[in-house]
Amino acid sequence: MQKYLLIHYGEIALKGGNRQFFEKRLMENIQMALLEFGNVGLKHIQGRIIVKIEDKWDLDKVREKLLKVFGIEYFAMAWNSDLNLEKISQDLLVLLKEQKFKSFRITTRRANKEFALTSQQISEQLGELVMTKLKKKVNLHEPDINCRIDIFGKFAFIYFEKIICRGGLPVGVSGNLLCLISGGIDSPVAANLMQKRGANIVFVNFDAYPATPKENQEKVKDLAKVLAEYQNGSKLYLVPFLAIQQEVIKIVPEDYRVIFYRRMMLRIAKMIAQKENILALVTGDSLGQVASQTVENISAISQAIDLPIFRPLIGFNKEEIITIARQIETYELSAQPFADCCSLYVPQHPVTRADLNLIKDTEKNWNFQVLLAKTLEMAVIIKQ
Ligand code: ATP
Ligand code: MG
């Protein structure tokens, strides 16, 4: 029996006129994810994608790769049988002889309505067969093994394990977004959640080297590399931010330093976004988590620029964010000790209700545009 990857996608089937565009993108992304196995042939049939599995493939690796392709609802490594119940029965018995179990159930899905029997009838007949030939018990609710029969197009597949993925939309269908990534726990998770909504992420980090250690940059590069596995590679802007911070501490009231750091970060991010034709930014803010994330401060920071800023974590608790960070394997990296540039020259009591009038007054006679442009010129671009 030949083995196939049987890939189901969900949400993208709902998207009306855009459906073909989404499907094409999903196929390309799967192809890209499996690139190391060669130029694999993908077939798209009745809302599923099938890929022939070669003997030499490392199936753990295939699994790991597909789990990172957004748009896939679930997939299976399935055996191809024939479109007749006789052959399906034979094949199922052969396959079950290699499995250890006491109880079982049969779950049939039939998208091909030309097949003579209904899903229910197929399940009943196969169930009967396994009971009598193999002397096993049916257990519909908690079976040791669930034998799944999937019939569609000209195919009938058998598999036992359904590998659940994270769904979402294929990366690329929502265009590009620019994520402000620190070495912290939150922003990598924010980037990943936007990838899940179909965005390809470009990254920007602001770094205070040499006032903060060089390891910081390595850490951010490593984080971008982990996130690059969910899309086709990544581009990271490393922006040297120390000169701007030194200017900020000379000019603004002490308790407003972080607010101004952030406003300057957003302005540079906007310049990068314009260069990259990107329409919106992403940050890892979560409401009330730290002083800079009160409604007043988020508002005062956001008003530095006129681009939309997406904050997918705004309503998340820290524990919820950490759960995702562990799942996407950024947690270990983020949890390493580091000194973010924003922790430099920060007062004991930062303002929690920033006053926009004070901010505007402070910025009125301050010609920071030249410094911002110079800073951007010094940015290093890392492609991974
Ligand atoms: P994180 O865990 O992502 O660092 P945080 O909870 O520590 O977030 P802040 O440090 O207040 O919160 O940062 C809020 C957001 O601002 C970050 O999620 C990130 O998007 C952005 N940001 C903060 N510092 C930097 C930086 N040095 N470079 C790029 N973006 C940054
Ligand atoms: Mg931080």
Side-chain angles (χ1 to χ4, degrees):
M1 264 171 279
Q2 174 62 46
K3 241 180 160 180
Y4 280 83
L5 288 170
L6 181 57
I7 300 170
H8 281 247
Y9 49 89
E11 186 165 14
I12 65 175
L14 306 172
K15 293 276 171 167
N18 280 335
R19 183 174 168 161
Q20 277 190 346
F21 169 61
F22 289 144
E23 285 169 346
K24 185 166 170 282
R25 194 67 197 217
L26 179 60
M27 305 260 282
E28 285 166 8
N29 291 355
I30 292 171
Q31 187 110 50
M32 201 59 82
L34 299 178
L35 203 60
E36 68 187 83
F37 304 106
N39 204 356
V40 303
L42 275 75
K43 275 212 189 90
H44 177 216
I45 301 156
Q46 286 195 320
R48 283 106 161 139
I49 292 165
I50 61 172
V51 183
K52 202 170 173 179
I53 295 177
E54 308 281 341
D55 287 342
K56 55 179 190 281
W57 290 6
D58 172 350
L59 296 184
D60 288 338
K61 192 83 201 214
V62 170
R63 173 192 288 251
E64 189 189 309
K65 290 279 177 185
L66 287 185
L67 280 168
K68 291 183 178 161
V69 178
F70 286 124
I72 300 178
E73 213 61 35
Y74 66 89
F75 68 93
M77 314 230 181
W79 288 272
N80 183 20
S81 185
D82 266 353
L83 260 193
N84 77 66
L85 196 60
E86 197 69 11
K87 180 72 164 62
I88 297 175
S89 307
Q90 272 175 22
D91 289 344
L92 180 61
L93 289 178
V94 170
L95 293 172
L96 280 178
K97 283 193 178 128
E98 288 166 24
Q99 304 283 332
K100 266 200 175 149
F101 68 105
K102 288 197 181 114
S103 63
F104 74 102
R105 70 164 286 163
I106 312 276
T107 307
T108 307
R109 279 188 65 163
R110 186 190 56 133
N112 178 353
K113 301 295 174 203
E114 286 161 31
F115 197 79
L117 303 169
T118 65
S119 302
Q120 184 59 29
Q121 288 167 331
I122 298 167
S123 295
E124 282 170 9
Q125 295 199 17
L126 292 175
E128 193 68 41
L129 183 81
V130 176
M131 277 198 296
T132 49
K133 295 261 177 194
L134 302 181
K135 309 270 177 285
K136 305 287 184 182
K137 279 205 190 86
V138 173
N139 180 344
L140 294 182
H141 300 295
E142 278 191 331
D144 295 337
I145 193 165
N146 190 343
C147 312
R148 295 177 186 273
I149 314 293
D150 202 345
I151 295 173
F152 60 92
K154 292 190 171 52
F155 297 92
F157 287 100
I158 304 172
Y159 61 93
F160 304 118
E161 189 194 3
K162 186 167 162 176
I163 302 160
I164 308 289
C165 301
R166 288 170 67 208
L169 300 174
V171 166
V173 299
S174 305
N176 292 341
L177 293 174
L178 180 65
C179 179
L180 283 78
I181 186 169
S182 69
I185 294 167
D186 304 335
S187 38
V189 173
N192 188 253
L193 290 180
M194 297 319 296
Q195 290 176 312
K196 186 168 174 234
R197 297 313 301 160
N200 182 76
I201 306 289
V202 176
F203 300 94
V204 56
N205 173 257
F206 300 90
D207 184 67
Y209 179 79
T212 51
K214 191 90 185 161
E215 283 82 356
N216 245 8
Q217 296 177 11
E218 291 310 314
K219 182 178 178 183
V220 173
K221 277 190 218 168
D222 288 345
L223 284 167
K225 204 167 170 183
V226 172
L227 293 164
E229 290 177 24
Y230 293 83
Q231 56 186 41
N232 184 17
S234 75
K235 190 172 185 181
L236 162 68
Y237 283 78
L238 282 178
V239 180
F241 200 58
L242 188 58
I244 291 177
Q245 289 185 275
Q246 285 165 340
E247 182 104 349
V248 166
I249 61 174
K250 271 191 267 163
I251 293 174
V252 318
E254 198 177 323
D255 54 346
Y256 273 71
R257 283 176 185 169
V258 175
I259 304 276
F260 281 90
Y261 294 165
R262 287 288 151 74
R263 284 173 66 90
M264 296 302 164
M265 283 184 188
L266 287 183
R267 289 183 170 116
I268 293 179
K270 180 182 169 181
M271 289 152 82
I272 296 172
Q274 282 171 331
K275 207 169 99 170
E276 297 276 348
N277 272 321
I278 289 176
L279 300 179
L281 308 182
V282 180
T283 70
D285 295 299
S286 153
L287 189 61
Q289 198 190 81
V290 291
S292 62
Q293 295 172 3
T294 61
V295 175
E296 289 83 352
N297 288 0
I298 287 178
S299 165
I301 292 167
S302 303
Q303 290 183 60
I305 57 164
D306 55 5
L307 284 186
I309 303 169
F310 299 155
R311 296 180 170 89
L313 303 181
I314 200 73
F316 281 48
N317 299 326
K318 197 76 190 184
E319 302 77 54
E320 292 167 327
I321 299 171
I322 289 176
T323 302
I324 304 176
R326 287 191 199 278
Q327 189 185 357
I328 66 173
E329 292 169 3
T330 53
Y331 183 76
E332 294 287 309
L333 278 170
S334 294
Q336 288 169 21
F338 74 107
D340 186 72
C341 67
C342 291
S343 59
L344 285 184
Y345 323 121
V346 175
Q348 279 262 301
H349 298 289
V351 64
T352 51
R353 292 186 183 171
D355 171 1
L356 199 59
N357 289 325
L358 183 152
I359 294 172
K360 286 190 172 153
D361 273 351
T362 311
E363 287 182 353
K364 205 160 52 199
N365 302 315
W366 177 12
N367 182 11
F368 50 77
Q369 290 300 345
V370 178
L371 181 57
L372 296 188
K374 258 199 213 155
T375 301
L376 181 56
E377 264 173 37
M378 287 190 296
V380 176
I381 299 174
I382 314 275
K383 289 188 179 167
Q384 307 186 96

